[in-house]
Amino acid sequence: MELFQQIMQPLQGADGGAWLRALGYLVLGLVLRNIIVSGMRKYVDNHTSPHKAILFRRAISYLVLFVFVLIALSELGFHSGVLLAVAGVLSVAIGFASQASTSNFISGLFLLGEKSFKVGDIVAVQGTRGEVISIDWLAIKIRTFDNLYVRVPNDDLIKGHVTNFSKFSIRRLDVQMWLALETDCAALEKLLNQTIVHEQAFLHQPAPELFRLHVGVLGIQVQYSVWAQQEGFFTSRSKLIDLIVPAMQNAGVVITQTPSVVQGQDNSFRMPYP
Amino acid sequence: MLYANETLQLELGATVAIETQTDTLYVQRQSQQWRLYKQARPHAQCNLDQALVVSQRIPLPDNLEMVKSWMSGEQESTLRIVPCMADRNLVLNLDKPIVVPAGRRPKFYLALPLMYQLYIGNSKQPFYEFLVERLPFSWFGSNTRRGELCYQFEAEVLQDYEQAAPIPHRAMLELRLCNRDTDHLSIDKINLPAQFLPVYKVDGSRYWTTALTITNEKLTDELSLHYAKSVPCRYDSLQLVSESRLRSEARTILRALEAIIG
């Protein structure tokens, strides 16, 4: 209580002129902040990634405001030494009370250095998949494909797995199928390659490949892998299925029924047969 | 700078058809606007026999897919069709690798596929651009992490450019490979920086681009690329049709070996 009274004492001695000057400094601070932020926007936007630009703009903005608030308080008779001492005490108290925020803040600094993703990337974090719309000091914000707004604390990103689907410009499309044992895989590979060769969505290099994965009770398990641009990936995948399934049916290739088994955590299969 | 190549004047309601390998493009002038339609051909009918044939005063077929429209609020009657280099690098996969012995500098000629741009009125920005040939995308790089997306094309490697018949949708390139290393240089695919190359029309009949020299520097993994200032062939008349899309700050630039030669 005494500390509070000690802090508030200068306010009682401040006259109208001091209040006006303090207000003037605050307005000046706001104007200066806007000028500096808009001035640096052109440079920062062109020279750094979008999320760094956002963070730099916020940091500069808060710094300028903090300095002008300090000047305004000095005009009202506050001594900066007392203010800093109070700030020190408060920061320790706030630090204890907000360990999670501190942890998130420090995790945010690590994330910034890692450059694992940027604003606009498509990521998957702890079962949430969507577009990164903001990277802040404490958390990132994700817009999911069904248009939900998800806030993920930076700490979770550091501790957990993050999959970035936009890091590289190309991506592999995999279609897995079980085929009858009589299938001539070499001929099938040729057929599939001829089917997609005219489609601009699929890359010629790396070349498409038909992997022979397993021979089992259901026949031969194969995986047809085709490379496509990251942009338009889902459209390309639909197009690939639309093209290859009718082509295989026309050529008399028998796609055996998909196994009705559940994949376990340990990647093993509970087979429906002994 | 913009240099018109083929300029057409269209009356109100008139339509022009332009053939490519895979589609027919229809450009129709309407009151204060232009419309672009596209009609795809079945794969069996895709060929380059009629490529770039421009038909005027034709009726617009029914059930066409409109690609886009140009609305300027003015009555513009001019349509220009201008060739330019592709908007991505071009990758040539050689059937058989070429080996350049140490200390040698052979030269050969390639016909590079061109893109075409449509300009309405006096606009400096194209309304639409298209590839005449169907060029598939291909990844060029040491792995799927490092590299770039390019167009893949096929071309014959010629020792003498006079062997090649003029093709309206290709521009000739003189490529010189200079191997200064002490080892042979083996090339099985090559990445050509099309965006840095201009297009010239030589003697009113054939398209050319400036010569390109690729030098394999001694004992390093770097290649230097040198762009010449003009076309290497003999000519009576030379017209710059379109400038390069990108400009290199120097005529010689360095790139890693794997970025040019696979």
Side-chain angles (χ1 to χ4, degrees):
Chain A
M1 201 61 193
E2 278 181 23
L3 181 68
F4 181 72
Q5 281 174 353
Q6 197 180 343
I7 294 166
M8 297 306 287
Q9 198 177 9
L11 279 181
Q12 293 159 4
D15 56 6
W19 278 102
L20 270 179
R21 281 196 300 277
L23 191 67
Y25 277 120
L26 282 179
V27 172
L28 182 66
L30 284 170
V31 172
L32 200 63
R33 181 197 71 158
N34 289 346
I35 292 171
I36 291 173
V37 167
S38 60
M40 68 185 285
R41 177 169 287 154
K42 282 179 194 163
Y43 179 81
V44 170
D45 286 357
N46 291 334
H47 291 82
T48 60
S49 57
H51 72 273
K52 273 189 186 169
I54 293 168
L55 292 176
F56 282 142
R57 277 205 299 270
R58 285 190 184 163
I60 292 290
S61 171
Y62 292 140
L63 184 69
V64 172
L65 276 184
F66 178 72
V67 168
F68 276 85
V69 166
L70 272 187
I71 295 171
L73 288 173
S74 301
E75 281 298 322
L76 293 174
F78 284 96
H79 297 291
S80 55
V82 175
L83 284 173
L84 290 175
V86 170
V89 170
L90 281 178
S91 64
V92 172
I94 292 168
F96 274 115
S98 58
Q99 284 180 21
S101 300
T102 313
S103 168
N104 281 324
F105 179 78
I106 292 168
S107 301
L109 291 179
F110 282 117
L111 280 177
L112 199 65
E114 261 186 23
K115 297 176 186 168
S116 302
F117 49 81
K118 60 183 190 301
V119 172
D121 282 359
I122 306 295
V123 296
V125 187
Q126 295 179 342
T128 304
R129 187 185 288 211
E131 180 196 359
V132 177
I133 54 175
S134 162
I135 301 174
D136 295 326
W137 291 111
L138 298 182
I140 68 163
K141 279 84 179 188
I142 293 175
R143 184 187 66 81
T144 62
F145 293 120
D146 50 349
N147 221 19
L148 301 179
Y149 178 88
V150 182
R151 179 184 181 276
V152 183
N154 287 341
D155 211 20
D156 290 1
L157 300 169
I158 289 287
K159 286 176 185 163
H161 290 256
V162 180
T163 309
N164 186 346
F165 297 98
S166 310
K167 188 77 175 172
F168 307 122
S169 356
I170 57 170
R171 193 172 159 192
R172 200 178 73 181
L173 288 159
D174 294 335
V175 179
Q176 288 194 1
M177 297 165 283
W178 284 89
L179 306 175
L181 277 172
E182 308 80 59
T183 310
D184 180 348
C185 289
L188 175 64
E189 186 168 15
K190 211 172 179 178
L191 169 78
L192 295 177
N193 291 347
Q194 281 169 356
T195 307
I196 64 161
V197 73
H198 297 306
E199 286 299 328
Q200 187 114 29
F202 310 121
L203 307 191
H204 278 215
Q205 286 293 330
E209 264 185 285
L210 183 78
F211 295 101
R212 287 74 155 171
L213 300 179
H214 294 293
V215 179
V217 287
L218 290 161
I220 307 170
Q221 190 187 18
V222 295
Q223 175 178 303
Y224 189 51
S225 297
V226 178
W227 287 83
Q229 289 186 65
Q230 182 63 251
E231 198 180 327
F233 174 80
F234 295 107
T235 315
S236 302
R237 187 168 62 185
S238 303
K239 190 177 273 182
L240 180 66
I241 292 170
D242 289 350
L243 284 172
I244 64 170
V245 171
M248 288 167 70
Q249 285 169 341
N250 291 341
V253 176
V254 178
I255 302 172
T256 52
Q257 199 157 12
T258 314
S260 53
V261 295
V262 179
Q263 191 167 9
Q265 291 287 329
D266 60 350
N267 261 2
S268 63
F269 287 83
R270 287 193 287 114
M271 295 301 291
Y273 307 106
Chain B
M1 292 290 285
L2 186 70
Y3 300 88
N5 183 52
E6 188 82 44
T7 304
L8 306 169
Q9 295 292 334
L10 267 73
E11 294 167 3
L12 264 178
T15 305
V16 164
I18 306 162
E19 301 292 338
T20 71
Q21 185 180 6
T22 53
D23 308 293
T24 305
L25 300 172
Y26 294 92
V27 189
Q28 188 183 51
R29 184 190 162 196
Q30 296 189 349
S31 178
Q32 297 193 355
Q33 68 165 312
W34 290 72
R35 286 184 173 185
L36 175 73
Y37 300 87
K38 193 153 85 170
Q39 189 174 44
R41 278 197 294 272
H43 287 314
Q45 293 170 25
C46 290
N47 58 58
L48 282 164
D49 298 345
Q50 295 289 306
L52 285 172
V53 169
V54 177
S55 315
Q56 293 194 68
R57 296 185 186 84
I58 52 158
L60 193 67
D62 296 330
N63 303 323
L64 286 179
E65 173 203 352
M66 192 173 93
V67 179
K68 57 162 93 172
S69 61
W70 169 277
M71 290 191 188
S72 65
E74 290 174 20
Q75 295 292 2
E76 294 165 310
S77 61
T78 312
L79 171 71
R80 286 172 297 152
I81 307 168
V82 181
C84 62
M85 274 293 166
D87 56 352
R88 288 179 187 274
N89 285 4
L90 295 164
V91 168
L92 175 68
N93 283 325
L94 299 165
D95 292 337
K96 302 283 183 291
I98 293 176
V99 176
V100 180
R104 300 295 175 86
R105 50 195 317 266
K107 70 173 175 188
F108 49 84
Y109 298 90
L110 295 168
L112 304 185
L114 291 171
M115 276 186 114
Y116 271 74
Q117 296 176 323
L118 303 179
Y119 291 85
I120 309 288
N122 295 318
S123 172
K124 299 272 188 283
Q125 299 284 323
F127 167 48
Y128 186 70
E129 55 185 337
F130 58 95
L131 281 163
V132 180
E133 294 175 55
R134 179 174 47 213
L135 297 180
F137 284 121
S138 180
W139 184 254
F140 189 93
S142 52
N143 54 43
T144 52
R145 184 171 59 84
R146 291 180 58 195
E148 62 185 316
L149 205 59
C150 306
Y151 291 120
Q152 184 176 309
F153 76 106
E154 290 173 3
E156 206 177 342
V157 178
L158 302 169
Q159 294 291 316
D160 183 0
Y161 63 82
E162 289 181 355
Q163 293 172 345
I167 306 172
H169 48 85
R170 293 250 177 166
M172 290 301 290
L173 166 77
E174 181 187 284
L175 182 64
R176 191 178 283 275
L177 290 167
C178 183
N179 185 13
R180 288 185 181 157
D181 206 349
T182 48
D183 290 334
H184 299 338
L185 177 67
S186 178
I187 303 166
D188 57 3
K189 57 183 174 180
I190 189 160
N191 183 354
L192 297 165
Q195 297 178 84
F196 289 96
L197 299 173
V199 179
Y200 289 90
K201 195 170 194 179
V202 173
D203 296 338
S205 64
R206 179 177 270 198
Y207 293 116
W208 270 87
T209 187
T210 50
L212 180 66
T213 305
I214 301 176
T215 307
N216 182 22
E217 301 294 345
K218 199 173 180 181
L219 301 174
T220 66
D221 272 350
E222 281 185 337
L223 289 176
S224 64
L225 278 175
H226 180 79
Y227 302 95
K229 286 180 182 170
S230 187
V231 296
C233 63
R234 289 182 298 273
Y235 56 83
D236 293 325
S237 72
L238 184 70
Q239 181 197 2
L240 177 63
V241 177
S242 62
E243 300 221 18
S244 59
R245 289 174 185 268
L246 300 175
R247 285 178 181 277
S248 61
E249 296 199 350
R251 298 209 77 79
T252 302
I253 57 172
L254 287 174
R255 291 183 71 179
L257 182 70
E258 64 187 24
I260 299 291
I261 293 175

